[in-house]
Amino acid sequence: VNPQIESAPASCPLAQRFEQVRAQSLRLAEPLSAEDCQAQSMPDASPVKWHLAHVTWFFETFVLEVFEPQFKPHNPAFRVLFNSYYNAVGNKHPRAQRGLLTRPSLVEVLDWRQAVDARVLHLLATPPSQANVSQKMSQIADLIELGLQHEQQHQELLLTDVKHLLFCNGLRPVYRKSWPLAQVAPVALRWLEFAGGVVQIGQDLADHTSPGKRFAFDNETPRHLQHLRPYALANRLVTHGEWLEFMQDGAYSDARWWLSAGWDWVNTHHVDAPLYWTQHTAGDASADWHSFSLHGEAPIDPHTPITHISYFEADAFARWKAATDPLCRGARLPTEFEWEAAAAPQEAALRSAGNFIESNALHPMPVARTPRDAADGQTSPLLQALGDVWEWTSSSYQAYPGFAPWAGAVGEYNGKFMVNQYVLRGGSCATPRDHIRASYRNFFPTDTRWQFSGLRLARSA
Ligand SMILES: [Fe+2]
């Protein structure tokens, strides 16, 4: 931060949070070289340098340009280069060619970050002189909070994009060396029953500046009623070991388990394992499978939650399990409403127990057997619902009844993507802990695998 510019007082919670979140993005880039930060491994993934620039663009475009007196852009060209998808802002650099942006350099992007940080903090410290000051400050605070939530989303993308990039290199470079996996006793799959009925889903319109209210994205609103039949959820996530059993039983070569579009996808792309799995010696499906993580390549651990699977794979697994395991008759994916109704009452405990980016595992972790599990099989809590992996649901991503996108250009944030995608719930090992909540809706197309996506089984009671 430029010390010559007056900053918001350190006691301002939003200024503190701003500095913390901005610093976390830089920390995530620390293990990487400038070359690592430049490359783009596929159209879905962006270079780290682009992420660092784009989240800065968000503050410059949606906060400074609107509210800073005598605003001048740091560099007018950046408005186009680092616009992701906002048509209301104007032209965009093509998404698939972000890796070709060798200029500005990483150093120039970091300088831009520092300059924008100083200007945002200055804006927070100096209320505008015009009329409606308190209304303006509230708008500024709302947009800064949105910018921080946006940056936290990009922190997760930064890690998943880096993972894909490093996997594309035959050297299998390691992002972080330590391997935190501990040996634990597996937790048996149990069914947790829920009565259903009429349940409240979602959040009231976001108004995080009022005391006691928290941030929510517009796609989580408005809070509304849903009717659920009685249902059950598995107490824990599906594991790598269970996935190996699925593969040993012919998973990827048995059309019975697959949706038609999923079967086409398997055959067109010759899919025979989750993303990042490699088999070191030819043989049967159980032999010598390794998977790549941000800690490098290692043999499959059977107790860690399965991850990097598509919607098609998650759905196929549930069908296979329903048909082959007497304990799992009727197994299917949960709806997003079943998931939320089960997780919301336990949100605080789930968040404090969850494996998030702060734990530095950067990989889903096995659940340890808890005393409660050992003592009472019937009351075992919902495990791993927040953190570890995003859980595919069978709900297609669409607007809640009464949904209205935010006003202005930020109205393009979520609403325009409500087609051809499915909802995932719960956050992952790459999600910041204070970013996730039970009502949070992530969404991806059915063949997406590079996020930390996994599944939990459900069934009707
Ligand atoms: Fe973005």
Side-chain angles (χ1 to χ4, degrees):
V1 173
N2 184 342
Q4 291 173 336
I5 297 182
E6 184 195 348
S7 292
S11 57
C12 167
L14 185 57
Q16 277 180 351
R17 185 167 142 67
F18 180 82
E19 291 184 294
Q20 282 164 4
V21 172
R22 296 286 282 168
Q24 169 73 350
S25 300
L26 297 181
R27 265 197 298 280
L28 293 177
E30 264 169 20
L32 303 169
S33 68
E35 292 88 344
D36 291 333
C37 293
Q38 176 61 47
Q40 179 174 23
S41 59
M42 62 170 169
D44 274 345
S46 298
V48 169
K49 185 176 81 180
W50 190 92
H51 283 298
L52 295 174
H54 162 70
V55 291
T56 304
W57 168 93
F58 195 97
F59 287 110
E60 186 175 279
T61 306
F62 295 130
V63 179
L64 297 180
E65 189 175 315
V66 180
F67 294 102
E68 196 177 54
Q70 287 97 45
F71 166 83
K72 276 207 197 80
H74 185 84
N75 180 332
F78 292 179
R79 199 171 194 274
V80 174
L81 290 186
F82 301 114
N83 178 7
S84 51
Y85 55 67
Y86 293 86
N87 293 317
V89 173
N91 290 338
K92 303 170 282 287
H93 179 81
R95 182 184 178 123
Q97 296 175 20
R98 289 172 182 168
L100 302 182
L101 294 173
T102 55
R103 314 291 172 90
S105 68
L106 179 59
V107 168
E108 286 172 285
V109 166
L110 296 177
D111 285 348
W112 181 32
R113 282 184 69 92
Q114 209 169 46
V116 164
D117 285 353
R119 288 165 66 175
V120 169
L121 290 170
H122 179 65
L123 186 67
L124 264 179
T126 50
S129 53
Q130 311 96 311
N132 306 327
V133 173
S134 65
Q135 191 193 347
K136 280 226 164 57
M137 287 311 284
S138 150
Q139 286 173 344
I140 290 171
D142 282 356
L143 283 164
I144 289 176
E145 182 57 38
L146 176 59
L148 294 174
Q149 299 284 341
H150 171 251
E151 183 142 352
Q152 290 184 307
Q153 290 183 313
H154 276 275
Q155 289 168 357
E156 173 152 11
L157 290 170
L158 185 156
L159 286 172
T160 51
D161 292 359
V162 161
K163 183 169 180 176
H164 189 266
L165 174 71
L166 297 179
F167 181 71
C168 292
N169 184 330
L171 299 174
R172 296 283 194 268
V174 170
Y175 172 81
R176 186 172 286 151
K177 272 215 168 68
S178 62
W179 178 248
L181 193 60
Q183 290 296 317
V184 294
V187 169
L189 187 147
R190 278 197 289 277
W191 290 102
L192 309 175
E193 312 249 324
F194 298 91
V198 176
V199 297
Q200 293 264 11
I201 294 294
Q203 300 268 352
D204 287 325
L205 291 172
D207 179 13
H208 59 86
T209 52
S210 303
K213 290 257 187 165
R214 300 193 283 154
F215 177 87
F217 284 107
D218 56 359
N219 64 4
E220 298 163 61
T221 68
R223 194 159 168 83
H224 66 284
L225 300 177
Q226 290 278 344
H227 179 256
L228 304 180
R229 292 177 161 215
Y231 66 103
L233 292 182
N235 58 330
R236 59 155 174 80
L237 297 165
V238 170
T239 64
H240 277 77
E242 289 166 318
W243 203 269
L244 272 173
E245 289 170 26
F246 181 35
M247 286 168 57
Q248 284 168 325
D249 202 28
Y252 291 92
S253 52
D254 192 335
R256 282 181 297 166
W257 316 129
W258 298 85
L259 291 164
S260 174
W263 187 236
D264 288 347
W265 172 77
V266 163
N267 288 295
T268 303
H269 300 281
H270 310 290
V271 180
D272 63 356
L275 183 62
Y276 302 133
W277 283 38
T278 46
Q279 202 169 16
H280 284 203
T281 52
D284 72 272
S286 65
D288 208 20
W289 280 104
H290 286 54
S291 75
F292 181 70
S293 76
L294 287 162
H295 307 279
E297 200 161 57
I300 299 289
D301 175 84
H303 306 313
T304 51
I306 188 68
T307 186
H308 298 301
I309 54 165
S310 67
Y311 178 87
F312 292 137
E313 288 168 287
D315 178 81
F317 179 89
R319 287 170 201 276
W320 168 77
K321 198 74 173 159
T324 59
D325 184 345
L327 288 174
C328 293
R329 285 224 173 85
R332 55 173 172 77
L333 297 182
T335 69
E336 64 168 320
F337 308 117
E338 289 170 336
W339 191 97
E340 182 173 330
Q346 303 175 48
E347 183 178 281
L350 288 169
R351 186 182 293 106
S352 73
N355 168 22
F356 298 104
I357 196 170
E358 289 81 4
S359 72
N360 281 319
L362 305 183
H363 197 64
M365 299 295 283
V367 276
R369 186 186 293 272
T370 65
R372 196 175 172 195
D373 287 324
D376 183 353
Q378 297 307 306
T379 59
S380 161
L382 193 63
L383 299 165
Q384 303 169 303
L386 295 183
D388 283 305
V389 298
W390 290 100
E391 301 177 30
W392 282 110
T393 74
S394 62
S395 301
S396 63
Y397 179 50
Q398 52 187 292
Y400 286 167
F403 167 74
W406 287 314
V410 293
E412 291 186 56
Y413 203 107
N414 284 309
K416 71 182 188 180
F417 301 109
M418 289 174 172
V419 68
N420 292 340
Q421 314 212 51
Y422 278 80
V423 173
L424 301 94
R425 293 299 198 114
S428 82
C429 54
T431 307
R433 186 186 302 273
D434 67 357
H435 181 67
I436 196 70
R437 59 199 155 267
S439 61
Y440 197 109
R441 308 172 81 199
N442 200 352
F443 47 91
F444 280 101
T446 46
D447 58 355
T448 306
R449 304 207 290 174
W450 97 109
Q451 294 305 299
F452 285 101
S453 50
L455 85 150
R456 173 189 310 274
L457 294 172
R459 67 179 181 189
S460 301

Short mmCIF file of all heavy atoms in Angstrom, two decimals, residues 50-51 54-55 57-58 82-86 98 150-151 153-154 157 413, ligand 1:
data_model
loop_
_atom_site.label_atom_id
_atom_site.label_comp_id
_atom_site.label_asym_id
_atom_site.label_seq_id
_atom_site.Cartn_x
_atom_site.Cartn_y
_atom_site.Cartn_z
N TRP A 50 -3.63 -13.52 -14.86
CA TRP A 50 -4.94 -12.99 -15.26
C TRP A 50 -5.87 -12.91 -14.05
O TRP A 50 -6.58 -11.92 -13.88
CB TRP A 50 -5.54 -13.84 -16.39
CG TRP A 50 -6.76 -13.20 -16.99
CD1 TRP A 50 -6.80 -12.37 -18.07
CD2 TRP A 50 -8.11 -13.32 -16.51
NE1 TRP A 50 -8.08 -11.96 -18.30
CE2 TRP A 50 -8.91 -12.51 -17.36
CE3 TRP A 50 -8.71 -14.00 -15.47
CZ2 TRP A 50 -10.29 -12.40 -17.19
CZ3 TRP A 50 -10.08 -13.88 -15.29
CH2 TRP A 50 -10.86 -13.08 -16.15
N HIS A 51 -5.89 -13.96 -13.22
CA HIS A 51 -6.73 -13.91 -12.01
C HIS A 51 -6.37 -12.70 -11.15
O HIS A 51 -7.24 -11.98 -10.67
CB HIS A 51 -6.54 -15.18 -11.17
CG HIS A 51 -7.24 -16.40 -11.70
ND1 HIS A 51 -8.60 -16.48 -11.83
CD2 HIS A 51 -6.75 -17.60 -12.12
CE1 HIS A 51 -8.93 -17.68 -12.30
NE2 HIS A 51 -7.82 -18.37 -12.49
N HIS A 54 -7.62 -9.61 -12.98
CA HIS A 54 -9.08 -9.50 -13.14
C HIS A 54 -9.78 -9.11 -11.85
O HIS A 54 -10.72 -8.29 -11.85
CB HIS A 54 -9.62 -10.83 -13.68
CG HIS A 54 -11.08 -11.02 -13.52
ND1 HIS A 54 -12.01 -10.29 -14.24
CD2 HIS A 54 -11.80 -11.83 -12.70
CE1 HIS A 54 -13.23 -10.67 -13.87
NE2 HIS A 54 -13.12 -11.59 -12.94
N VAL A 55 -9.36 -9.66 -10.72
CA VAL A 55 -10.01 -9.29 -9.45
C VAL A 55 -9.72 -7.84 -9.10
O VAL A 55 -10.52 -7.17 -8.42
CB VAL A 55 -9.59 -10.24 -8.29
CG1 VAL A 55 -10.17 -11.63 -8.52
CG2 VAL A 55 -8.08 -10.31 -8.13
N TRP A 57 -9.27 -5.51 -11.56
CA TRP A 57 -10.18 -4.87 -12.53
C TRP A 57 -11.57 -4.69 -11.92
O TRP A 57 -12.20 -3.65 -12.11
CB TRP A 57 -10.24 -5.75 -13.78
CG TRP A 57 -11.31 -5.42 -14.77
CD1 TRP A 57 -11.20 -4.60 -15.86
CD2 TRP A 57 -12.66 -5.91 -14.77
NE1 TRP A 57 -12.39 -4.55 -16.53
CE2 TRP A 57 -13.31 -5.35 -15.88
CE3 TRP A 57 -13.38 -6.78 -13.95
CZ2 TRP A 57 -14.64 -5.61 -16.21
CZ3 TRP A 57 -14.71 -7.04 -14.25
CH2 TRP A 57 -15.32 -6.46 -15.37
N PHE A 58 -12.02 -5.70 -11.18
CA PHE A 58 -13.35 -5.65 -10.57
C PHE A 58 -13.47 -4.43 -9.65
O PHE A 58 -14.44 -3.67 -9.72
CB PHE A 58 -13.61 -6.94 -9.80
CG PHE A 58 -15.06 -7.17 -9.43
CD1 PHE A 58 -15.87 -7.97 -10.21
CD2 PHE A 58 -15.59 -6.59 -8.29
CE1 PHE A 58 -17.20 -8.19 -9.87
CE2 PHE A 58 -16.92 -6.80 -7.94
CZ PHE A 58 -17.73 -7.59 -8.73
N PHE A 82 -8.94 -7.32 -19.00
CA PHE A 82 -9.26 -8.11 -17.81
C PHE A 82 -10.75 -8.13 -17.48
O PHE A 82 -11.14 -8.50 -16.38
CB PHE A 82 -8.40 -7.62 -16.64
CG PHE A 82 -6.93 -7.74 -16.94
CD1 PHE A 82 -6.12 -6.61 -17.08
CD2 PHE A 82 -6.36 -8.99 -17.16
CE1 PHE A 82 -4.78 -6.73 -17.40
CE2 PHE A 82 -5.02 -9.12 -17.49
CZ PHE A 82 -4.22 -7.99 -17.61
N ASN A 83 -11.57 -7.75 -18.48
CA ASN A 83 -13.02 -7.94 -18.36
C ASN A 83 -13.32 -9.40 -18.67
O ASN A 83 -12.92 -9.92 -19.71
CB ASN A 83 -13.72 -7.01 -19.37
CG ASN A 83 -15.24 -7.17 -19.34
OD1 ASN A 83 -15.80 -7.87 -18.50
ND2 ASN A 83 -15.91 -6.52 -20.29
N SER A 84 -13.99 -10.08 -17.75
CA SER A 84 -14.26 -11.51 -17.97
C SER A 84 -15.46 -11.71 -18.88
O SER A 84 -15.34 -12.24 -19.99
CB SER A 84 -14.50 -12.20 -16.63
OG SER A 84 -15.48 -11.49 -15.89
N TYR A 85 -16.63 -11.27 -18.40
CA TYR A 85 -17.85 -11.54 -19.18
C TYR A 85 -18.90 -10.45 -19.08
O TYR A 85 -20.07 -10.69 -19.36
CB TYR A 85 -18.44 -12.90 -18.80
CG TYR A 85 -18.74 -13.10 -17.32
CD1 TYR A 85 -19.75 -12.38 -16.67
CD2 TYR A 85 -18.05 -14.06 -16.58
CE1 TYR A 85 -20.04 -12.59 -15.34
CE2 TYR A 85 -18.32 -14.27 -15.23
CZ TYR A 85 -19.32 -13.53 -14.62
OH TYR A 85 -19.61 -13.74 -13.30
N TYR A 86 -18.52 -9.24 -18.68
CA TYR A 86 -19.51 -8.18 -18.45
C TYR A 86 -19.75 -7.39 -19.73
O TYR A 86 -18.96 -6.51 -20.09
CB TYR A 86 -19.06 -7.27 -17.30
CG TYR A 86 -19.07 -8.02 -15.99
CD1 TYR A 86 -17.96 -8.77 -15.59
CD2 TYR A 86 -20.19 -8.01 -15.18
CE1 TYR A 86 -17.98 -9.49 -14.41
CE2 TYR A 86 -20.22 -8.74 -13.99
CZ TYR A 86 -19.11 -9.47 -13.62
OH TYR A 86 -19.14 -10.19 -12.45
N ARG A 98 -6.27 -15.91 -22.98
CA ARG A 98 -5.73 -15.14 -21.84
C ARG A 98 -4.25 -15.43 -21.63
O ARG A 98 -3.50 -14.57 -21.16
CB ARG A 98 -6.54 -15.45 -20.57
CG ARG A 98 -7.93 -14.86 -20.62
CD ARG A 98 -8.81 -15.31 -19.45
NE ARG A 98 -10.14 -14.73 -19.58
CZ ARG A 98 -11.20 -15.11 -18.87
NH1 ARG A 98 -11.07 -16.07 -17.96
NH2 ARG A 98 -12.38 -14.54 -19.05
N HIS A 150 -15.93 -12.01 -4.64
CA HIS A 150 -15.49 -12.35 -5.99
C HIS A 150 -14.03 -12.79 -5.97
O HIS A 150 -13.65 -13.80 -6.58
CB HIS A 150 -15.70 -11.12 -6.89
CG HIS A 150 -15.10 -11.24 -8.25
ND1 HIS A 150 -13.99 -10.53 -8.63
CD2 HIS A 150 -15.46 -11.99 -9.32
CE1 HIS A 150 -13.70 -10.83 -9.89
NE2 HIS A 150 -14.58 -11.72 -10.33
N GLU A 151 -13.20 -12.06 -5.26
CA GLU A 151 -11.77 -12.42 -5.20
C GLU A 151 -11.59 -13.78 -4.54
O GLU A 151 -10.75 -14.58 -4.95
CB GLU A 151 -10.97 -11.33 -4.47
CG GLU A 151 -9.47 -11.62 -4.46
CD GLU A 151 -8.60 -10.39 -4.61
OE1 GLU A 151 -9.12 -9.30 -4.89
OE2 GLU A 151 -7.37 -10.53 -4.49
N GLN A 153 -13.68 -16.25 -4.67
CA GLN A 153 -14.03 -17.25 -5.69
C GLN A 153 -12.83 -17.49 -6.61
O GLN A 153 -12.53 -18.63 -6.99
CB GLN A 153 -15.23 -16.79 -6.50
CG GLN A 153 -16.53 -16.80 -5.72
CD GLN A 153 -17.72 -16.40 -6.57
OE1 GLN A 153 -17.67 -15.42 -7.30
NE2 GLN A 153 -18.80 -17.17 -6.47
N HIS A 154 -12.15 -16.39 -6.96
CA HIS A 154 -11.01 -16.54 -7.87
C HIS A 154 -9.81 -17.18 -7.17
O HIS A 154 -8.96 -17.78 -7.83
CB HIS A 154 -10.64 -15.20 -8.49
CG HIS A 154 -11.48 -14.89 -9.69
ND1 HIS A 154 -11.18 -15.34 -10.95
CD2 HIS A 154 -12.65 -14.22 -9.80
CE1 HIS A 154 -12.12 -14.94 -11.80
NE2 HIS A 154 -13.03 -14.26 -11.12
N LEU A 157 -10.43 -20.72 -7.86
CA LEU A 157 -10.14 -20.99 -9.28
C LEU A 157 -8.64 -20.97 -9.55
O LEU A 157 -8.13 -21.78 -10.34
CB LEU A 157 -10.85 -19.96 -10.16
CG LEU A 157 -12.36 -20.07 -10.21
CD1 LEU A 157 -12.97 -18.86 -10.91
CD2 LEU A 157 -12.79 -21.35 -10.93
N TYR A 413 -23.57 -11.00 -12.89
CA TYR A 413 -22.71 -11.89 -12.10
C TYR A 413 -23.16 -13.35 -12.18
O TYR A 413 -22.36 -14.25 -12.44
CB TYR A 413 -22.70 -11.42 -10.64
CG TYR A 413 -21.50 -11.85 -9.85
CD1 TYR A 413 -20.52 -10.95 -9.50
CD2 TYR A 413 -21.34 -13.18 -9.47
CE1 TYR A 413 -19.39 -11.35 -8.78
CE2 TYR A 413 -20.24 -13.58 -8.76
CZ TYR A 413 -19.26 -12.67 -8.42
OH TYR A 413 -18.16 -13.08 -7.72
FE FE B 1 -14.56 -12.99 -12.08
#
